[in-house]
Amino acid sequence: MSTTTPAPARALNASRTIATAARVLRQLRHDPRTIALMVLIPCVMLFLLRYVFDGSARTFDSIGASLLGIFPLITMFLVTSIATLRERTSGTLERLLAMPLGKGDLIAGYALAFGTLAIIQSALATGLAVWFLGLDVTGSPWLLLLVALLDALLGTALGLFVSAFAASEFQAVQFMPAVIFPQLLLCGLFTPRDNMHPVLEAISDVLPMSYAVDGMNEVLKHTDMTAAFVRDTAIVAGCALLVLTLGAATLKRRTA
């Protein structure tokens, strides 16, 4: 049995991170279906939602902002988990880790690549909702965009993390009910969280999607940036950073 000697660990390096991100983006460029899923599906879902409530624009206003953050999170989770799993199962990640490339460089590169697409996705969805579908928000649309972007980055981080525990693309998809659906039910989209059973309310208090929805609701109701909005966005950003760190810990060099 031969053992692959791992390359020495190095500190996070900007050039290696950017090179990793560029490689991922080049691969995604040749996969138009994946790009369409990430960029267009949230817009299509918002468009359908608007006209589902065509006779009740107020209903669309009340839930549209929340879904503006939830849809990017779900799509980025799904695409990132599958795309990363492909590289794990194909041996690409193992070969990269045998090079002078740190785990932090690799995870940061993936996050930067998918984050670039998340910016495009969030900007298109926010622009469509506010300026074309007539989503009525009291606060700045730029704050909506900020929360949508943070949600998409959180979905990216969760996707990178769960890909370590799936052996196939089918299993990666199966993580969606376990990771996303409970948050969707408990985030306050369907009923205020303080109306839930105390146990469920306590669980919702530790789920990041709850704070994404709270942040969107702050923009929906207030003209200025509130302290609650800052707290909510900081929690979402902190959760994304924490999950990315955990994702780096799941990258292991194998021996043969």
Side-chain angles (χ1 to χ4, degrees):
M1 178 182 294
S2 62
T3 302
T4 302
T5 302
R10 296 187 179 184
L12 189 66
N13 179 275
S15 62
R16 294 196 297 266
T17 296
I18 292 173
T20 301
R23 180 186 63 81
V24 175
L25 289 172
R26 283 195 300 269
Q27 291 179 335
L28 289 173
R29 185 181 61 185
H30 299 294
D31 190 354
R33 287 177 298 182
T34 298
I35 294 176
L37 176 63
M38 285 191 288
V39 174
L40 297 180
I41 291 300
C43 294
V44 172
M45 297 299 291
L46 285 169
F47 185 86
L48 290 175
L49 184 70
R50 168 62 182 86
Y51 290 103
V52 164
F53 295 110
D54 191 36
S56 180
R58 184 172 299 178
T59 302
F60 176 71
D61 290 337
S62 64
I63 67 173
S66 298
L67 292 176
L68 186 59
I70 291 173
F71 286 156
L73 189 156
I74 293 174
T75 56
M76 292 304 294
F77 170 84
L78 184 61
V79 171
T80 305
S81 59
I82 293 175
T84 309
L85 178 64
R86 286 178 184 172
E87 299 222 322
R88 289 180 186 268
T89 56
S90 67
T92 300
L93 284 180
E94 186 176 352
R95 291 192 295 271
L96 289 172
L97 288 172
M99 300 168 61
L101 184 70
K103 294 181 179 181
D105 296 320
L106 201 57
I107 286 293
Y110 275 89
L112 180 60
F114 287 109
T116 300
L117 291 174
I119 293 173
I120 299 172
Q121 177 197 69
S122 301
L124 287 175
T126 303
L128 174 71
V130 175
W131 289 294
F132 183 78
L133 298 179
L135 180 66
D136 186 16
V137 293
T138 302
S140 169
W142 293 106
L143 296 181
L144 281 183
L145 176 59
L146 173 62
V147 181
L149 176 58
L150 290 175
D151 290 344
L153 292 176
L154 176 62
T156 297
L158 289 170
L160 287 169
F161 177 66
V162 304
S163 68
F165 305 98
S168 66
E169 293 180 15
F170 180 66
Q171 286 186 8
V173 174
Q174 287 179 314
F175 272 104
M176 193 169 179
V179 176
I180 300 298
F181 287 178
Q183 296 193 67
L184 186 62
L185 292 173
L186 300 177
C187 68
L189 177 64
F190 301 106
T191 186
R193 292 195 289 127
D194 54 8
N195 289 345
M196 298 178 185
H197 187 280
V199 173
L200 295 181
E201 182 182 0
I203 294 173
S204 74
D205 287 341
V206 299
L207 298 176
M209 192 184 290
S210 300
Y211 297 95
V213 170
D214 288 349
M216 286 295 191
N217 287 334
E218 287 295 309
V219 181
L220 193 67
K221 299 174 182 176
H222 302 281
T223 56
D224 299 322
M225 183 185 300
T226 64
F229 174 84
V230 174
R231 179 205 62 194
D232 294 334
T233 53
I235 290 174
V236 175
C239 288
L241 182 60
L242 174 62
V243 175
L244 282 176
T245 303
L246 294 175
T250 67
L251 297 178
K252 297 181 180 179
R253 299 175 174 89
R254 298 177 182 177
T255 59

